[in-house]
Amino acid sequence: MESADGQRGRDGSGSRWKGSPLDVIMSQIRRKRTASDRKPLGRFLSWTSDRPGIPEDGESEMKEDRGPNSGFAASAESERDVGWGRVCVFLKRLGKKADSRSLSLAHCDLTATDLLELATLLQFLPQVEEMDISWNELIGGSLTALTSHLQHVGEVRTLRLCSCRLNGEDVVALGEALSYIPALEVLDLSWNSGVGGGGLQGLLGNLHPSLRELHLVACQLTAADATVLGGMVAALPRLCVLDVSCNAQLTQEVDTGGFRELVSSLSHATSLTTLRLQACGLTPDSLDALGGSLRCLPSVGELDLSCNKLLAGGLSRLTFHLAHVTHLERLDLHLCCLTRDDLEALIQVLPSLTALTELDVSSNKEVGGVVHSLVSALPVTQMRRLPFNSCYLSNESFTALAAVCRRGCLSSLRALDLSYNSLVGDNGWCSLFAAGGLGSLEDVDVSLRPSTSAPCSAWLPALLRALPQMPALARLAMQRWTADCQEREQLRYCLKKRSVLLEWDPDLQDTSSACKGNSQESLEESQPEE
């Protein structure tokens, strides 16, 4: 018989243990290790957290039951991650950053191949709300590649396709796909000549009532397109902005329809706040048609009729109706060849436009003779912008303007453009700057035309004395004015202390570098007291 000590020396299998006492201790420790003690080894040996590693004791019992669809969900999530990675790579190649809500690819020289690749990536951008693919002229004729995938981006609210050389087929493809993006609020197809000449027909009946802005600038729209556009506008009750500028043929054949049908449909767009008809070939007859519709649009706040030289002599046919546009804030009539009679008609209606804050009658030669009457008729205490550039202003014009400023009537003015008025003499500039009353000015432009130059030494002291009374000034443009070395340094030093941007010709700025020898003390002594 063996002893009790001999029995205790056997291992579990009944064989005698022949190891050292240390081996006995280690054997006991190994028996007592739990499954959790061995887990780090399994994790260490596994390749990645989502790949099966070495089986671990008891691990299956500790895992949660993920359900029968866990594998599908993980696969879908992995596919989305891979898709987003493809989006990032695509955008990085174009020098853009990825944004899940905004896709901006303007000026990227996209090709038809790029557009096709972009289309396959839309499924990974379900939250995108803004798409801008403008100024990519190489994608014209291949828009179908993109529109056939728009069902993946149903939350799009803004779509811009400016200057992409779209043709009639592209517009038709877009119109058929608009049902995929019912939340669309802004559509910009400007600078695509293929939209006009019948191409616009492809959008008729496909625009959703949710649309708020429609931009069709320079699309070569014809009178026939105006008729189609009128039908579209009539079905857009929430339309706020309509911009059809730079379509010179739009107003042809006013009497036989076209433009008249378009403006008549505006009576249905009761939410319209902005109407832009710049460079549309407007005539007195078209103004008459437009005026009748304006009576039904009291909510219009911006009306742009600029660059329509053919309306000269017929503005009275519109001003008669302007009094009903009680919310009009911005009226643009620059470069319209306005006659003296046109300006007199405008002056008569200005007191009724009590909400007006911006009036642009620049680049109209006859304005110089009616400045006093014009400014006196304005709701001047609330005017923010009043351009008089290229208006043939004279000393008398400036004297009249100075009288209004002295009374404080232009105290709320933010921008004053008096550039390209070379007929104004030194006395005119002195009287204006000495008048005061321009404490809210942020932007002042007194530049001369590129082909001229003149010294400003006679009126510069008046400007320097006026600057302390313009605490909000941020920009002063004085192109083509000349001054001696000390005067230039004096003005630059005065403005530099206030971080005012001074725009002066490069050659004059280079010349001023020779003045840096002037002592700082002499400059400070020459500054007017603030």
Side-chain angles (χ1 to χ4, degrees):
M1 287 213 35
E2 295 182 355
S3 63
D5 291 340
Q7 288 287 346
R8 286 193 297 270
R10 298 180 185 273
D11 59 13
S13 62
S15 61
R16 185 179 297 275
W17 180 262
K18 296 181 180 180
S20 65
L22 179 59
D23 293 333
V24 175
I25 296 174
M26 293 303 295
S27 178
Q28 296 295 327
I29 292 175
R30 290 190 186 97
R31 290 192 183 99
K32 293 179 179 180
R33 287 185 62 191
T34 64
S36 61
D37 296 326
R38 294 193 293 273
K39 278 187 180 181
L41 181 61
R43 293 196 182 98
F44 176 75
L45 293 176
S46 62
W47 288 100
T48 61
S49 60
D50 60 339
R51 295 181 181 178
I54 296 177
E56 300 172 354
D57 296 343
E59 188 173 4
S60 60
E61 298 178 1
M62 300 177 65
K63 289 183 178 178
E64 297 180 358
D65 184 9
R66 298 180 179 176
N69 296 325
S70 60
F72 175 78
S75 176
E77 183 177 358
S78 176
E79 183 179 356
R80 285 195 299 270
D81 292 342
V82 173
W84 179 248
R86 288 175 55 195
V87 171
C88 295
V89 171
F90 176 77
L91 294 175
K92 184 177 181 180
R93 189 173 76 237
L94 298 172
K96 301 289 185 176
K97 292 184 178 180
D99 187 333
S100 62
R101 296 189 179 277
S102 178
L103 184 62
S104 179
L105 295 174
H107 299 281
C108 284
D109 293 326
L110 296 179
T111 64
T113 303
D114 295 325
L115 194 66
L116 181 60
E117 182 178 356
L118 172 62
T120 62
L121 297 176
L122 292 184
Q123 59 182 309
F124 307 115
L125 293 166
Q127 295 180 326
V128 70
E129 296 181 354
E130 180 176 354
M131 292 179 60
D132 188 353
I133 316 178
S134 303
W135 307 101
N136 289 287
E137 297 187 346
L138 299 179
I139 67 174
S142 58
L143 193 64
T144 305
L146 180 70
T147 57
S148 59
H149 290 75
L150 286 182
Q151 68 271 19
H152 299 295
V153 287
E155 299 299 321
V156 168
R157 298 180 181 276
T158 300
L159 179 59
R160 302 187 188 278
L161 291 164
C162 307
S163 189
C164 290
R165 290 194 177 180
L166 302 183
N167 57 30
E169 294 180 357
D170 291 326
V171 179
V172 171
L174 175 61
E176 293 174 348
L178 287 178
S179 59
Y180 296 141
I181 45 178
L184 188 66
E185 296 181 352
V186 179
L187 179 61
D188 194 344
L189 302 178
S190 299
W191 305 100
N192 287 289
S193 59
V195 173
L200 196 63
Q201 185 75 31
L203 297 180
L204 185 63
N206 293 316
L207 294 175
H208 290 274
S210 60
L211 195 72
R212 299 176 62 85
E213 296 187 21
L214 180 59
H215 302 264
L216 298 170
V217 178
C219 288
Q220 293 191 9
L221 300 181
T222 64
D225 295 319
T227 302
V228 175
L229 182 58
M232 294 165 53
V233 170
L236 299 174
R238 298 183 60 188
L239 190 67
C240 296
V241 177
L242 177 61
D243 191 349
V244 291
S245 300
C246 303
N247 288 285
Q249 301 179 35
L250 190 68
T251 57
Q252 292 182 353
E253 303 174 6
V254 175
D255 294 333
T256 59
F259 183 74
R260 187 174 294 275
E261 293 185 25
L262 171 59
V263 295
S264 296
S265 68
L266 295 179
S267 59
H268 300 282
T270 55
S271 299
L272 196 69
T273 59
T274 300
L275 179 60
R276 300 187 183 121
L277 295 167
Q278 181 188 83
C280 283
L282 297 179
T283 64
D285 287 339
S286 53
L287 287 183
D288 190 43
L290 175 62
S293 296
L294 287 178
R295 301 172 68 95
C296 305
L297 299 172
S299 60
V300 169
E302 178 182 345
L303 181 61
D304 186 352
L305 305 177
S306 61
C307 304
N308 285 287
K309 296 182 179 181
L310 297 179
L311 62 76
L315 190 62
S316 61
R317 300 171 72 170
L318 177 72
T319 55
F320 177 75
H321 304 282
L322 276 181
H324 299 278
V325 191
T326 55
H327 291 85
L328 190 63
E329 298 179 1
R330 295 178 294 279
L331 177 60
D332 194 342
L333 291 167
H334 83 266
L335 198 60
C336 285
C337 294
L338 298 180
T339 65
R340 189 66 174 258
D341 290 339
D342 290 329
L343 292 169
E344 293 293 344
L346 177 62
I347 290 171
Q348 290 180 11
V349 76
L350 285 179
S352 302
L353 305 179
T354 56
L356 199 66
T357 60
E358 297 182 15
L359 174 64
D360 192 346
V361 290
S362 60
S363 300
N364 287 288
K365 297 180 180 180
E366 296 295 330
V367 170
V370 297
V371 167
H372 186 271
S373 301
L374 183 68
V375 176
S376 299
L378 286 169
V380 286
T381 56
Q382 64 192 35
M383 293 300 295
R384 300 290 183 267
R385 184 172 175 269
L386 190 60
F388 281 131
N389 53 294
S390 194
C391 283
Y392 281 68
L393 301 184
S394 61
N395 282 341
E396 292 75 14
S397 305
F398 267 50
T399 301
L401 192 59
V404 175
C405 293
R406 189 173 292 110
R407 296 199 303 267
C409 297
L410 296 178
S411 58
S412 61
L413 203 64
R414 301 287 189 269
L416 180 61
D417 190 346
L418 299 171
S419 61
Y420 296 4
N421 285 292
S422 56
L423 298 180
V424 181
D426 295 335
N427 292 337
W429 291 106
C430 288
S431 63
L432 178 65
F433 291 127
L438 297 172
S440 298
L441 272 184
E442 300 174 358
D443 191 299
V444 178
D445 194 340
V446 297
S447 301
L448 296 175
R449 294 182 182 277
S451 59
T452 63
S453 64
C456 62
S457 300
W459 54 265
L460 187 60
L463 172 61
L464 291 172
R465 288 191 295 269
L467 287 176
Q469 279 73 51
M470 301 180 189
L473 189 65
R475 173 183 173 268
L476 174 62
M478 295 182 55
Q479 303 284 8
R480 270 79 64 188
W481 287 104
T482 61
D484 64 36
C485 179
Q486 184 177 359
E487 290 168 337
R488 285 194 299 270
E489 282 299 311
Q490 198 173 356
L491 179 59
R492 292 180 61 190
Y493 177 77
C494 181
L495 296 178
K496 186 177 181 180
K497 291 194 304 181
R498 298 167 48 183
S499 300
V500 177
L501 174 63
L502 175 62
E503 294 184 2
W504 221 342
D505 293 285
D507 57 336
L508 295 181
Q509 294 176 0
D510 293 340
T511 303
S512 67
S513 63
C515 306
K516 293 183 179 178
N518 292 346
S519 65
Q520 190 77 0
E521 291 79 7
S522 63
L523 288 174
E524 293 177 352
E525 291 175 359
S526 62
Q527 299 306 308
E529 294 183 1
E530 299 189 10

